[in-house]
Amino acid sequence: MVDVAYVFAGFFVGVVVGLTGVGGGSLMTPILIFFFGFKPYLAVGTDLLFAAVTKMGGTLSFARQRIVPWRVVGWLSAGSIPAALLTLAVLHEVGPANPHVQAVMTHSLGVALLLTAAAMFYKTLRGKQLAGAHPAADLGHAAQARHWSLPVLFGALIGVLVTLTSVGAGAIGVSVQLLLYPLLPLPRIVAADIAYAVPLTLIAGLGHASLGSVDWVLLAKLLAGSLPGIWLGARLMHRTPERLVRGVLSLLLAWAGTKLVLI
């Protein structure tokens, strides 16, 4: 029955991702910790590879549509990937199961969930206005930040957050891009967010795997449920009140984040 529960958890997260585009990390990691009792380091490591596999399909789809702004992906990756490698080096030195590291990961996860909930709630309230506020007339100009260092800096912050918590490359990443690239059309921001998250979560996940922080059997069961879940969610997208689903999820993530911060 436990195996079926893992597959169902993956299916549930897959459906939500397909319906709303919400990052699986913000959902799967709290589920593994609260409902299945996994240690934070195992939940984070397993979820990172789970996210990498699920986001690969989305990246290929966006790439075929030619809507991925690769310049944006490159600048964000220039900050996030080195930051992820540096964070992994620190984890190698102190050990992911170290009680102090576990405390940092738990509280960082709580903060990341609260930030994700706030970003998601903001998008729920302002989604339509944001989508219509980015003309696509000059995509080359729209894909340039005010200064090259800004996407690198924010990418580095997200890289550290994702490596420690597996959360941050979704709603937080989109919110950051909305600030850095206000003229970029929203579909291209979403495409960039998913595309740069693939190498980030893959590198961070493999780094956690080298630390023994990945449960491979669990990962296979989660993917067995999530892949058909994403397929189903994508097809139900236009029949579901997305803003209502996002609003409920933001409240659940805020609850989970608060609980982790107070531990």
Side-chain angles (χ1 to χ4, degrees):
M1 290 300 295
V2 175
D3 291 344
V4 175
Y6 292 147
V7 175
F8 180 78
F11 179 79
F12 168 74
V13 172
V15 169
V16 173
V17 170
L19 282 174
T20 67
V22 173
S26 58
L27 296 172
M28 184 57 73
T29 304
I31 288 174
L32 291 177
I33 293 174
F34 287 125
F35 291 97
F36 296 112
F38 281 89
K39 295 292 185 182
Y41 74 95
L42 272 178
V44 169
T46 303
D47 183 63
L48 283 167
L49 290 181
F50 172 82
V53 174
T54 55
K55 289 177 184 291
M56 282 181 189
T59 300
L60 292 175
S61 175
F62 285 128
R64 283 196 294 267
Q65 299 175 54
R66 298 184 179 181
I67 64 171
V68 179
W70 293 110
R71 177 185 296 179
V72 175
V73 173
W75 282 117
L76 289 171
S77 298
S80 64
I81 292 177
L85 292 173
L86 181 60
T87 306
L88 287 169
V90 174
L91 289 177
H92 268 280
E93 285 295 319
V94 297
N98 183 294
H100 297 294
V101 174
Q102 288 289 281
V104 170
M105 293 178 76
T106 299
H107 288 88
S108 298
L109 177 58
V111 171
L113 289 176
L114 289 173
L115 291 174
T116 300
M120 192 184 307
F121 190 66
Y122 175 73
K123 287 167 59 183
T124 300
L125 295 178
R126 299 286 305 279
K128 291 185 178 180
Q129 293 92 323
L130 289 171
H134 307 297
D138 186 355
L139 294 177
H141 176 69
Q144 292 181 344
R146 292 182 179 180
H147 193 276
W148 65 267
S149 63
L150 293 176
V152 175
L153 174 61
F154 279 104
L157 293 174
I158 292 174
V160 173
L161 196 61
V162 168
T163 306
L164 283 176
T165 70
S166 78
V167 178
I172 297 175
V174 168
S175 299
V176 166
Q177 289 184 72
L178 288 172
L179 295 174
L180 296 180
Y181 305 99
L183 300 179
L184 198 63
L186 189 59
R188 292 180 179 269
I189 286 179
V190 173
D193 185 69
I194 292 177
Y196 94 88
V198 171
L200 171 58
T201 53
L202 183 61
I203 289 172
L206 292 176
H208 274 269
S210 70
L211 292 166
S213 303
V214 173
D215 187 322
W216 295 99
V217 176
L218 171 63
L219 176 62
K221 294 170 184 175
L222 295 176
L223 289 173
S226 70
L227 297 179
I230 292 174
W231 178 87
L232 178 61
R235 278 149 184 77
L236 295 176
M237 181 186 300
H238 300 295
R239 304 179 184 179
T240 306
E242 180 183 337
R243 297 183 73 182
L244 175 61
V245 174
R246 283 181 178 270
V248 172
L249 286 175
S250 66
L251 292 176
L252 290 175
L253 293 180
W255 168 80
T258 302
K259 189 170 181 178
L260 286 168
V261 167
L262 295 177
I263 288 179

